[in-house]
Amino acid sequence: MSLLEVSGLKKVYTTRFGGSSVEALRNVNFSVEQGEYVAIMGESGSGKTTLLNLLAALDRPTAGQVLLNGRDLSQIKDSELALFRRENLGFVFQEFNLLDNFSLEDNIYLPLVLSGESYTEMHSRLQPIARQLGLTELLKKYPYELSGGQKQRAAVARAMITDPRLILADEPTGALDSRATDELLRLFGEVNRQGQTVLMVTHSVRAASTAGRVLFIKDGEVFHQLYRGDSTDEQLYQKISHTLTLLATGGDRA
């Protein structure tokens, strides 16, 4: 069984007074294997954000299923959802979502604090992650003292510290300059090679070209997908660009 299985996924939003409805997703089907690095791309309004919210159990589908490690997310009780997310999912957001009145260390510890872990356990988990992400000398600093790239590395550390089954990244390079983007993508590749499963929603062809597979969403459906195979980042970049042109011009599936 795949780590993540999405089948027949549909999401319809109804206006406040029920006068009209919008179908954000329709019959979305795909799976993600343990250890994969998958990017999801599509134009604004294609359904990427809706899909990410469903994968994160932040919203419930109108129809279909999202199974994470065999568990149907729609069947989890509301009272159990926060715990389920902490134990199974790591999140990296475009705007970092760090608390300015917490040190970097305390920001990273937060999911473990909420789970009731001891300081000794939190400290032992953080040290190897901080070394890997180059954060050891920054842990006592506050977010407002750091660059965007440093803050995003802290967000990655926070996502990793719970040892999640899946990291969900929402436009993780969107607020970074090119140098910080390259460093973050290098780190994503590194943690993926160590076995971490990563699913990233992005507009960036550069970011998507570092993934092992790219899914393209159009009008609420999976339009096409590309596998890296033996392609270099540059070769995958060109293939992604071609597919995005097809998306924009209404071309047929490649």
Side-chain angles (χ1 to χ4, degrees):
M1 179 181 290
S2 302
L3 174 66
L4 179 70
E5 294 190 32
V6 178
S7 57
L9 200 63
K10 178 179 180 180
K11 181 63 181 180
V12 177
Y13 292 102
T14 303
T15 57
R16 182 175 178 184
F17 299 106
S20 61
S21 60
V22 175
E23 190 175 46
L25 294 174
R26 66 183 72 136
N27 196 33
V28 173
N29 299 278
F30 68 92
S31 61
V32 176
E33 302 301 320
Q34 172 67 44
E36 268 202 285
Y37 180 5
V38 178
I40 296 179
M41 302 194 77
E43 296 178 313
S44 296
S46 62
K48 301 189 306 300
T49 299
T50 298
L51 177 59
L52 191 68
N53 286 341
L54 295 175
L55 299 181
L58 295 171
D59 199 358
R60 296 186 186 273
T62 305
Q65 284 185 320
V66 176
L67 301 180
L68 182 62
N69 202 39
R71 188 167 185 187
D72 187 344
L73 302 192
S74 67
Q75 299 304 309
I76 301 173
K77 296 178 181 178
D78 289 342
S79 58
E80 299 174 2
L81 278 173
L83 177 60
F84 176 84
R85 292 190 199 101
R86 284 200 302 272
E87 291 181 343
N88 293 278
L89 300 172
F91 298 94
V92 181
F93 303 96
Q94 177 175 340
E95 298 299 335
F96 322 127
N97 285 21
L98 300 176
L99 300 174
D100 272 342
N101 57 333
F102 279 27
S103 68
L104 217 59
E105 182 177 52
D106 289 339
N107 268 285
I108 297 168
Y109 282 157
L110 191 55
L112 297 183
V113 171
L114 294 172
S115 296
E117 295 289 352
S118 68
Y119 177 79
T120 302
E121 172 65 18
M122 292 191 295
H123 183 76
S124 67
R125 288 200 198 186
L126 176 58
Q127 296 315 301
I129 294 173
R131 285 194 297 271
Q132 180 181 8
L133 300 185
L135 295 171
T136 303
E137 304 302 319
L138 302 174
L139 292 176
K140 299 303 182 183
K141 291 185 177 292
Y142 288 80
Y144 57 81
E145 300 178 279
L146 305 176
S147 69
Q150 291 168 332
K151 286 189 279 191
Q152 195 61 299
R153 280 186 277 139
V156 173
R158 183 183 56 196
M160 291 173 58
I161 200 165
T162 60
D163 191 23
R165 296 185 185 277
L166 176 65
I167 286 181
L168 296 173
D170 185 9
E171 299 286 0
T173 64
L176 304 181
D177 61 26
S178 59
R179 185 173 180 178
T181 290
D182 288 345
E183 175 64 11
L184 181 69
L185 294 175
R186 183 190 68 78
L187 291 170
F188 268 163
E190 187 175 302
V191 300
N192 172 248
R193 286 189 292 275
Q194 293 172 350
Q196 177 64 61
T197 310
V198 179
L199 192 149
M200 171 176 61
V201 169
T202 182
H203 280 101
S204 167
V205 179
R206 169 78 182 89
S209 67
T210 64
R213 179 161 55 113
V214 186
L215 291 173
F216 298 88
I217 304 293
K218 180 180 180 181
D219 298 331
E221 296 183 275
V222 176
F223 173 81
H224 183 53
Q225 60 181 325
L226 291 173
Y227 288 86
R228 169 177 294 280
D230 296 326
S231 298
T232 64
D233 285 3
E234 178 59 32
Q235 289 169 333
L236 187 55
Y237 185 104
Q238 296 302 324
K239 292 177 182 178
I240 293 169
S241 297
H242 174 68
T243 302
L244 290 174
T245 299
L246 289 176
L247 280 168
T249 59
D252 293 332
R253 286 171 169 79

